[in-house]
Amino acid sequence: MGSLTLSWSIAVVATLVTAVSAVRMMTTSGEARFAAGGDLLMGLCMVAMSLPATAAWYGGYGLWWSAAFSLLGTGAVALASQEHA
């Protein structure tokens, strides 16, 4: 499932996304803080998924693993796009 360098590079980028989201979450309030919290959670999950050990462990599941994450991602987008009352 890709090279070790690629996996670590993606993990580093995801860590940067997480750090920026943490700063945004600490410096904002209201809806912006809520959105930053979601980005922070997403960044943490991206780090966990892109680590070489995780990619090696779940890489053999191929299309089924991708379909599961796509379904969860689509559900998250649908929930996020709903208007707040």
Side-chain angles (χ1 to χ4, degrees):
M1 182 95 194
S3 70
L4 194 59
T5 304
L6 178 63
S7 294
W8 279 112
S9 298
I10 293 171
V12 168
V13 169
T15 302
L16 292 173
V17 168
T18 304
V20 169
S21 298
V23 169
R24 278 183 38 221
M25 193 170 149
M26 290 186 296
T27 58
T28 59
S29 62
E31 285 287 324
R33 184 181 175 110
F34 180 75
D39 291 344
L40 177 70
L41 180 61
M42 178 192 64
L44 288 172
C45 292
M46 284 177 15
V47 170
M49 287 188 302
S50 63
L51 289 175
T54 307
W57 180 266
Y58 292 108
Y61 292 102
L63 186 59
W64 292 108
W65 193 243
S66 297
F69 274 107
S70 297
L71 183 64
L72 289 172
T74 303
V77 168
L79 289 173
S81 64
Q82 292 179 351
E83 291 186 37
H84 296 295

